[in-house]
């Protein structure tokens, strides 16, 4: 079992299987904030912990016939990030980690999308603490549960990957907290 199937296997979503509809340009999709999650994982010692961060805004333009023509621009509200428990949340927002007093937002803007509806990767510029680095995320696109085959209006996007927090200057508590941060974004979108 490869890494992608290990991540996607337990998800009970219907895979998107859509016939080509001849769209000539990317279509704008709206994020359903209430049904979407931006989660992350981090380690303290040997323990894996989870946190969440709300989406502030999202501009998603998807071309389901020519996936590389799609574009994604998402802004997260870092000042409202939660790291699972009070002390970890305070440390996360601290000047030595996310520095939310000076950098209340995190932004991801796609620069290149490769692949197709069966699996894609999204490379883009991630800005954290005012530092921008290129990152690549694995992407999956699915029909939402309960929708009809061929439905292109109600979709779920799953983005997963890992980043180094020190690459963005978030080096606080390095003796306690691991450097690699796992990202899992489950976005429910509607045309």
């Amino acid at each position: 079992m490869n890494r992608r199937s290990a991540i996607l296997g337990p998800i009970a979503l219907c895979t998107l299987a859509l016939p080509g509809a001849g769209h000539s340009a990317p279509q704008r999709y709206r994020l359903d904030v209430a049904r979407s999650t931006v989660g992350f994982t981090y380690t303290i010692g040997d323990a894996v912990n989870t946190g969440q961060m709300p989406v502030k805004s999202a501009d998603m333009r998807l071309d389901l016939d020519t996936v590389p023509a799609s574009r994604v621009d998402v802004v997260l509200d870092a000042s409202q990030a939660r790291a699972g428990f009070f002390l970890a949340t305070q440390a996360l927002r601290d000047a030595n980690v996310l520095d939310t007093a000076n950098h209340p937002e995190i932004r991801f803007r796609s620069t290149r999308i490769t692949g197709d509806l069966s699996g894609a990767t999204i490379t883009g510029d991630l800005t954290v603490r005012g530092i921008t680095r290129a990152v690549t995320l694995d992407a999956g696109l699915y029909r939402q549960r309960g929708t009809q085959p061929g439905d292109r209006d109600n979709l779920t996007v799953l983005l997963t990957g890992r980043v180094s927090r020190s690459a963005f200057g978030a080096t606080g508590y390095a003796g306690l907290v691991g450097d690699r941060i796992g990202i899992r974004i489950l976005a429910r979108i509607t045309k």
Side-chain angles (χ1 to χ4, degrees), residues 107-149:
R107 183 174 191 177
F108 177 78
R109 186 181 330 192
S110 66
T111 56
R112 182 172 182 238
I113 299 175
T114 58
D116 55 30
L117 292 179
S118 65
T121 59
I122 300 178
T123 300
D125 293 329
L126 178 64
T127 303
V128 180
R129 296 175 45 96
I131 299 170
T132 302
R133 300 272 186 258
V135 299
T136 299
L137 303 173
D138 292 323
L141 188 63
Y142 308 88
R143 286 187 299 115
Q144 289 183 20
R145 186 177 296 162
T147 60
Q148 297 298 314

Side-chain angles (χ1 to χ4, degrees), residues 41-126:
T41 59
Y42 63 99
T43 58
I44 297 178
D46 293 333
V48 176
N49 298 277
T50 61
Q52 290 191 350
M53 197 172 301
V55 176
K56 190 169 186 177
S57 66
D59 182 12
M60 291 178 275
R61 298 167 193 256
L62 304 181
D63 185 330
L64 301 181
D65 296 314
T66 310
V67 173
S70 302
R71 297 290 172 257
V72 176
D73 189 349
V74 178
V75 178
L76 305 178
D77 187 352
S79 69
Q80 296 300 310
R82 304 223 182 277
F85 57 95
F86 178 75
L87 292 177
T89 296
Q90 296 300 5
L92 176 66
R93 297 177 187 173
D94 185 81
N96 293 317
V97 184
L98 291 182
D99 190 14
T100 59
N102 294 307
H103 305 283
E105 297 178 346
I106 293 175
R107 183 174 191 177
F108 177 78
R109 186 181 330 192
S110 66
T111 56
R112 182 172 182 238
I113 299 175
T114 58
D116 55 30
L117 292 179
S118 65
T121 59
I122 300 178
T123 300
D125 293 329
L126 178 64

Side-chain angles (χ1 to χ4, degrees), residues 8 11-19 29 35 62 64 117-118 140-158 186-191:
L8 299 179
I11 297 174
L13 298 173
C14 299
T15 301
L16 184 66
L18 304 174
Y29 283 79
R35 295 178 54 231
L62 304 181
L64 301 181
L117 292 179
S118 65
L141 188 63
Y142 308 88
R143 286 187 299 115
Q144 289 183 20
R145 186 177 296 162
T147 60
Q148 297 298 314
D151 182 350
R152 289 180 173 237
D153 294 338
N154 302 286
L155 305 173
T156 298
V157 178
L158 177 66
L186 187 64
R188 298 217 167 65
I189 59 175
T190 304
K191 191 184 319 182

